[in-house]
Amino acid sequence: PITPGELLCLGSSLAFSGLFYYLYRKKARVMARIQEAPKLQVDDDLPALVSAADGRCLPYIALEGIVLPAKAALTSHYHEGLQGVIQKLLLKEHRLIWNSLARSW
């Protein structure tokens, strides 16, 4: 005989397992798209390529090229000869959606 409490625990466990599996598969698809992203060089042809794309936007691409530091390159304390730069500008677009329950954007 199975008690109602056991059925409730089993049902909630199955529901959470299904939810987490769904989220895992969704993120796995995004990762696959990122890994298959085309690699483009930073050169004079890049603005024309972006202008020709649908909506002037390229969904997932990997840019390759030489980065020059604004002032001085950062050097690693742990690996000799390893240098890096800090990205100064990051453009992030957020889509506003009206939440009628909270009455906010």
Side-chain angles (χ1 to χ4, degrees):
I2 298 175
T3 65
E6 291 173 338
L7 282 176
L8 179 67
C9 290
L10 178 65
S12 63
S13 175
L14 288 174
F16 280 121
S17 295
L19 173 69
F20 292 137
Y21 182 72
Y22 167 75
L23 293 173
Y24 165 75
R25 294 296 302 159
K26 187 176 176 183
K27 296 297 179 185
R29 282 193 298 269
V30 171
M31 284 302 300
R33 284 186 62 195
I34 290 173
Q35 288 176 348
E36 296 171 354
K39 294 183 172 111
L40 301 176
Q41 295 292 326
V42 177
D43 55 6
D44 295 334
D45 297 335
L46 188 60
L49 183 65
V50 172
S51 298
D54 292 334
R56 299 188 65 195
C57 178
L58 299 171
Y60 288 111
I61 61 168
L63 288 177
E64 295 178 339
I66 297 174
V67 177
L68 299 175
K71 293 182 183 175
L74 302 173
T75 57
S76 174
H77 296 289
Y78 305 106
H79 300 284
E80 204 167 310
L82 188 63
Q83 294 182 338
V85 294
I86 296 177
Q87 181 177 354
K88 285 190 167 189
L89 176 67
L90 177 65
L91 176 65
K92 204 172 198 180
E93 296 181 17
H94 295 281
R95 187 173 51 158
L96 293 177
I97 298 174
W98 175 254
N99 185 348
S100 61
L101 184 63
R103 296 188 183 273
S104 66
W105 286 100

